[in-house]
C-alpha cells in the first residue's frame, strides 16, 4: 500500500491516510503510516508524527522529515495555528445550521472517551464548530452532511461530541448506539474524513492549504 502524496520536500510530507491504518507506529504486525512512509523514504528515514487521525478515519496528514520541522509544526499545533476541517455524515439534524459544541472529555484506558463534568479529574475541554451542508433520507432516517472545524484535538472528539449532542456518525461502531440493533449500507465505514489541512511551512513560513473530497 502506497499512500497518496499531496506534497513533499526535504522538510515535510503531506499525505492522505487510508482508513484502517494507524497514524503512528503500532506494536502489532499491521502496517501503519510511519512504516508506509519509510517504504517510500527509506527504512532509516526520520518520520515525525505531529497530529493523529483515528484508525477508521481517512484524510490529510502532515509529517515532519527532520526533528526541527517536527518540533516547529508540533508547536504550531499546540498554539492552534494548524487548521483542520472534516466532512461527516450524521444521523438526525442539528437544531442550528451552524454552531459550536463545547464539552469536557475524559479518555479512559479501554480506548474510549466520555463527556464528563468539567471538574472531573483528567477532563479536558473539547471545542468544535460545525456547519450543515445538506441532508437526505435513508429509509426513515434523516442523514445530515456536516463540515466540522476542530478547535481542540481530543481523543475521539468529533465522534463523541456529535453522539452526545444527539447526532451520532454513521458507521461509528464505538459511539453510535443504534448500530447494536440495526445497520445500514453506510455503516460499513465510519463516515468521517479529514478533508482540509492548512498550516505554515516550518522553513519557508508560507501558508499551505490542502483539500480532498470525502468519498461519502
Amino acid at each position: 500500500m502506497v499512500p497518496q502524496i499531496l506534497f513533499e520536500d526535504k522538510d515535510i510530507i503531506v499525505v492522505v491516510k487510508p482508513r484502517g491504518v494507524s497514524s503512528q507506529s503500532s506494536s502489532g504486525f499491521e502496517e501503519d503510516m510511519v512504516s508506509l512512509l519509510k517504504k517510500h523514504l527509506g527504512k532509516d528515514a526520520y518520520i515525525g508524527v505531529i497530529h493523529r487521525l483515528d484508525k477508521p478515519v481517512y484524510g490529510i496528514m502532515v509529517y515532519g522529515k527532520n526533528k526541527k520541522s517536527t518540533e516547529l509544526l508540533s508547536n504550531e499545533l499546540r498554539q492552534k495555528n494548524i487548521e483542520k476541517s472534516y466532512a461527516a455524515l450524521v444521523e438526525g439534524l442539528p437544531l442550528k445550521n451552524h454552531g459550536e459544541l463545547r464539552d469536557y472529555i475524559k479518555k479512559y484506558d479501554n480506548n474510549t472517551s466520555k463527556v464528563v463534568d468539567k471538574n472531573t479529574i483528567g477532563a479536558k475541554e473539547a471545542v468544535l464548530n460545525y456547519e450543515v451542508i445538506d441532508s437526505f433520507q435513508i429509509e426513515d432516517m434523516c442523514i445530515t452532511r456536516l463540515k466540522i472545524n476542530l478547535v481542540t484535538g481530543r481523543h475521539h472528539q468529533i465522534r463523541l461530541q456529535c453522539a452526545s449532542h444527539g447526532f451520532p456518525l454513521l458507521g461509528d461502531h464505538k459511539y453510535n448506539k443504534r448500530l447494536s440493533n440495526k445497520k445500514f449500507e453506510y455503516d460499513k465505514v465510519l463516515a468521517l474524513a479529514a478533508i482540509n489541512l492548512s498550516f505554515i511551512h516550518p522553513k519557508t513560513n508560507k501558508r499551505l492549504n490542502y483539500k480532498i473530497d470525502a468519498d461519502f
Side-chain angles (χ1 to χ4, degrees):
M1 180 190 302
V2 179
Q4 179 184 358
I5 298 172
L6 302 180
F7 176 81
E8 180 182 1
D9 62 12
K10 65 179 182 179
D11 297 297
I12 62 172
I13 183 167
V14 182
V15 297
V16 179
K17 184 189 86 66
R19 286 188 181 90
V21 178
S22 295
S23 301
Q24 56 190 341
S25 298
S26 58
S27 56
F29 295 102
E30 296 179 340
E31 286 188 314
D32 53 65
M33 285 302 297
V34 172
S35 63
L36 289 175
L37 289 174
K38 285 190 174 185
K39 284 186 176 181
H40 168 67
L41 298 171
K43 65 178 182 179
D44 296 323
Y46 181 97
I47 308 295
V49 179
I50 296 155
H51 60 121
R52 295 164 180 79
L53 289 177
D54 292 350
K55 189 174 180 179
V57 179
Y58 88 99
I60 308 173
M61 299 190 69
V62 58
Y63 289 85
K65 291 177 65 176
N66 53 63
K67 187 174 181 180
K68 183 177 180 180
S69 294
T70 301
E71 289 177 347
L72 288 171
L73 283 172
S74 295
N75 185 61
E76 288 290 289
L77 184 67
R78 285 190 293 270
Q79 298 292 326
K80 297 182 173 60
N81 293 328
I82 294 181
E83 299 174 8
K84 296 177 282 184
S85 297
Y86 295 75
L89 293 181
V90 301
E91 297 179 15
L93 186 64
L95 294 176
K96 300 179 179 179
N97 285 333
H98 54 83
E100 177 188 84
L101 302 184
R102 186 179 293 267
D103 299 288
Y104 285 85
I105 286 177
K106 181 176 180 178
K107 181 182 177 181
Y108 291 85
D109 292 337
N110 60 350
N111 196 36
T112 61
S113 290
K114 292 182 180 180
V115 172
V116 297
D117 183 88
K118 67 178 182 179
N119 296 318
T120 302
I121 295 176
K124 294 182 178 180
E125 189 176 36
V127 184
L128 64 80
N129 297 304
Y130 72 86
E131 177 185 359
V132 172
I133 303 302
D134 58 31
S135 61
F136 54 94
Q137 293 287 130
I138 295 181
E139 297 186 10
D140 59 347
M141 186 168 60
C142 175
I143 302 300
T144 302
R145 185 182 303 275
L146 298 180
K147 180 181 179 181
I148 296 172
N149 294 320
L150 275 182
V151 179
T152 59
R154 307 306 183 197
H155 181 254
H156 293 171
Q157 179 179 337
I158 294 175
R159 300 161 65 183
L160 175 59
Q161 284 195 281
C162 287
S164 66
H165 285 267
F167 40 97
L169 271 66
L170 285 181
D172 191 350
H173 291 257
K174 191 176 290 286
Y175 297 105
N176 189 332
K177 296 179 181 179
R178 188 259 309 161
L179 292 181
S180 60
N181 298 316
K182 186 178 183 180
K183 296 180 177 65
F184 293 110
E185 185 70 19
Y186 279 93
D187 290 318
K188 290 182 179 179
V189 298
L190 178 64
L192 180 63
I195 59 169
N196 179 259
L197 184 68
S198 177
F199 60 93
I200 301 296
H201 191 285
K203 188 170 184 179
T204 67
N205 289 322
K206 292 182 179 179
R207 179 160 287 277
L208 304 178
N209 295 278
Y210 298 95
K211 292 183 178 181
I212 59 172
D213 293 324
D215 63 356
F216 48 77

